[in-house]
Amino acid sequence: MKNEHPPTDRRKLSPLKIASYAGFAVGAIVLVCVLTLLFFPNPIVNRFIKPRITKAFAEAYPAYSIRIANMNYSVLKNCFGFNSVALHAVDGTFSSKMGSFSVSGIEWIHLLWGGTLGPKNLTNVDLDAQGIELNLPQSQYRLRCKRLLVSVPNSEMVAESLEVHPLAGDDEFFRRSTFRRTRLSFVTPQCSVMGLGCLELLQGKSYRARSVHIHDAFLDILVNKDKPDSRDSSGPFMPNEILSSIKETLQVDSLSFMNGWLKYCERFVFGSKPAFVTFDNMQVLAEGIANHGDRAAVLVIHAQAKFVNAGTMKVLMRIPVASPEFSFQYSGSLSKMDLSPLNSMLEISDQMRIKTGVLEEATFEVNVASGHATGNLRGVYRDLTIAAINKQTGSEKGFSDGITSFIANNLKIRGTNVPDKSDSIKIGEVKYTRQPDDPFIQFEWFALRTAVRDVVGF
């Protein structure tokens, strides 16, 4: 019987050869993928990675919207780059954007297979963001940062050229409220954070840092006293209110301001030149910043500055971190100085000009309990004379100004306050209650100013 299927010359492949061919094919595919990723990574990350980032963010934070421009990737550096990133709240409470943005050290390959990013994938991350801008329309402020550097493995963060300003000019800022407001403006060339718990911060569990250093900062404060106080009890937050409002654990061992400058201003007429005092060459050290602790936990602040560029002022402050009330203590001293530099404030706020006068020394102690400040000031000074000036012209030559000056210098003003033979001296009484619109620094100044007026007789 004939064989219907004659033998063929083709040989059967052995399992070993099949495995070798399959391995070669897989290797070729892998090689092609590696070469593609090495030489053409950008289309891959823009096609597969960027949509996953946008989708994951939208699912995790539905109240916010993110927009990412073109991405790029360096295989050798394991670094993602973004041309720009924009983020805003759906309800319009804030918007932000940044220019070039890069992040390296992310373990990300598993994202291609549907994985998610977790803290363990970010332990080696270094971030470099430039041209950051954050707008807060409700509070009318804008934050800008030229460059932000974050290193997770080194637990460090550095912000360069950090600025906080109102969205508009002073007149527009104050026009939007029928009541008195306080305008803040802050600039520093560098702010650095060491010992930062980066992963805890990203997880929203806690805010921990060993130290924060702010260099050459400038803080400008302006109060528009041409409008009435608001009777609304919800004024600017005080330190204890800020700390207690943070639900997550906050702990900063130390915060320092080095070579700072503070300018405090009061405006009495719309569009007019404000009264002001300055604190130059400020050195501030705050220790024990925390929002959780026993009743004995205290935030301690040491500060020193050149007051109106004339005398050295030193202040020690102790703020209970667990107190629900606005309560704290502060004390300090002021060295010998000529009193005429105070005219930058007095000429506008009181229509008075100091002609002569020397402060020998001053010390003060103030206790604040539930927003009520009490205490005393001991000021030793000599030969104080003043002149009343015209509110519009600043001249002291008017007839009524002369009469006022005469009465003040001879009947009202205490021209000299030095200890007599029995070491008796006029002690000024601190007596001030916080007003709804008083920020923290303004409250301290206003409280101390009541004792100054009590001693001098203004």
Side-chain angles (χ1 to χ4, degrees):
M1 183 176 181
K2 293 184 179 180
N3 188 355
E4 295 179 0
H5 301 282
T8 177
D9 292 335
R10 289 182 297 176
R11 299 177 181 179
K12 292 184 178 181
L13 296 177
S14 67
L16 181 61
K17 287 188 175 182
I18 293 175
S20 64
Y21 290 155
F24 176 79
V26 171
I29 294 173
V30 170
L31 179 60
V32 171
C33 292
V34 170
L35 292 175
T36 301
L37 187 61
L38 184 63
F39 294 104
F40 307 100
N42 296 346
I44 294 177
V45 295
N46 280 284
R47 177 66 178 83
F48 297 103
I49 301 299
K50 187 174 76 171
R52 290 183 179 273
I53 293 176
T54 304
K55 181 181 178 181
F57 185 90
E59 292 175 350
Y61 306 99
Y64 305 97
S65 175
I66 189 171
R67 186 175 69 254
I68 302 174
N70 288 338
M71 293 177 58
N72 56 76
Y73 179 69
S74 170
V75 177
L76 298 179
K77 297 180 180 180
N78 186 23
C79 179
F80 285 96
F82 305 81
N83 289 353
S84 65
V85 178
L87 175 68
H88 70 271
V90 176
D91 61 3
T93 53
F94 86 92
S95 63
S96 65
K97 62 181 180 180
M98 66 180 72
S100 61
F101 174 83
S102 66
V103 57
S104 61
I106 295 181
E107 299 175 6
W108 63 274
I109 294 297
H110 63 286
L111 293 178
L112 295 174
W113 327 124
T116 59
L117 281 176
K120 65 179 181 179
N121 307 122
L122 306 174
T123 55
N124 296 311
V125 163
D126 288 311
L127 180 146
D128 185 347
Q130 301 185 35
I132 301 171
E133 182 175 301
L134 173 64
N135 296 313
L136 304 169
Q138 291 184 345
S139 61
Q140 295 178 249
Y141 278 95
R142 172 183 291 123
L143 180 148
R144 285 178 174 153
C145 180
K146 184 177 181 180
R147 190 179 188 188
L148 178 67
L149 302 170
V150 179
S151 174
V152 175
N154 294 329
S155 302
E156 295 179 357
M157 180 173 69
V158 178
E160 299 177 355
S161 298
L162 180 64
E163 301 180 2
V164 179
H165 297 293
L167 290 171
D170 291 343
D171 291 343
E172 177 65 18
F173 179 83
F174 292 128
R175 185 188 64 80
R176 296 192 178 187
S177 174
T178 56
F179 297 103
R180 185 175 300 173
R181 298 186 67 185
T182 298
R183 188 270 292 144
L184 304 176
S185 183
F186 176 80
V187 177
T188 180
Q190 187 180 87
C191 174
S192 58
V193 182
M194 305 298 174
L196 177 64
C198 297
L199 296 182
E200 293 178 336
L201 178 64
L202 290 173
Q203 292 175 284
K205 292 182 177 180
S206 65
Y207 307 96
R208 300 180 188 271
R210 185 177 65 253
S211 62
V212 179
H213 303 281
I214 300 176
H215 304 264
D216 302 311
F218 167 57
L219 176 61
D220 185 17
I221 303 174
L222 176 61
V223 183
N224 62 328
K225 304 196 78 172
D226 51 308
K227 289 187 176 182
D229 279 327
S230 169
R231 296 307 169 192
D232 183 3
S233 60
S234 58
F237 285 143
M238 295 295 107
N240 66 305
E241 295 172 324
I242 295 174
L243 292 174
S244 62
S245 68
I246 302 174
K247 297 180 180 180
E248 297 78 12
T249 299
L250 170 68
Q251 181 180 340
V252 179
D253 296 340
S254 68
L255 183 150
S256 63
F257 287 81
M258 293 169 282
N259 301 319
W261 189 58
L262 167 64
K263 184 179 183 181
Y264 173 79
C265 310
E266 295 178 357
R267 192 183 75 178
F268 294 88
V269 179
F270 177 81
S272 66
K273 178 182 177 181
F276 68 92
V277 292
T278 60
F279 299 84
D280 300 273
N281 193 28
M282 286 183 61
Q283 313 295 328
V284 180
L285 175 63
E287 298 176 300
I289 303 173
N291 62 342
H292 295 292
D294 55 35
R295 297 187 66 85
V298 176
L299 163 60
V300 180
I301 301 175
H302 302 265
Q304 178 175 312
K306 202 75 171 178
F307 181 55
V308 291
N309 205 29
T312 299
M313 178 177 284
K314 298 180 180 179
V315 177
L316 171 63
M317 197 176 306
R318 298 175 63 85
I319 305 174
V321 298
S323 174
E325 305 292 337
F326 178 43
S327 302
F328 68 103
Q329 300 84 39
Y330 65 104
S331 59
S333 63
L334 182 59
S335 68
K336 183 175 182 178
M337 60 174 280
D338 177 36
L339 292 174
S340 60
L342 292 174
N343 287 331
S344 61
M345 172 64 73
L346 296 176
E347 289 185 359
I348 298 175
S349 65
D350 295 89
Q351 286 79 57
M352 293 287 181
R353 177 176 296 143
I354 295 177
K355 303 289 288 183
T356 62
V358 175
L359 174 70
E360 298 294 339
E361 63 175 353
T363 58
F364 55 89
E365 293 185 1
V366 182
N367 181 68
V368 181
S370 300
H372 303 284
T374 58
N376 60 79
L377 177 141
R378 185 181 188 273
V380 180
Y381 61 90
R382 302 176 185 273
D383 307 322
L384 176 63
T385 60
I386 65 171
I389 61 175
N390 184 276
K391 185 176 182 179
Q392 279 73 36
T393 65
S395 172
E396 57 188 71
K397 296 181 179 181
F399 177 76
S400 60
D401 299 324
I403 295 296
T404 303
S405 300
F406 176 82
I407 294 174
N409 288 317
N410 291 274
L411 301 177
K412 189 176 180 181
I413 297 299
R414 184 173 287 102
T416 295
N417 192 45
V418 298
D420 57 19
K421 293 181 180 180
S422 62
D423 201 34
S424 177
I425 189 175
K426 170 63 178 177
I427 302 298
E429 179 185 8
V430 175
K431 191 176 181 180
Y432 184 74
T433 299
R434 181 199 171 196
Q435 300 303 307
D437 293 323
D438 284 348
F440 184 62
I441 296 177
Q442 178 178 305
F443 173 84
E444 291 180 84
W445 168 245
F446 280 9
L448 194 57
R449 194 163 64 178
T450 61
V452 174
R453 294 177 182 271
D454 185 36
V455 173
V456 177
F458 283 161

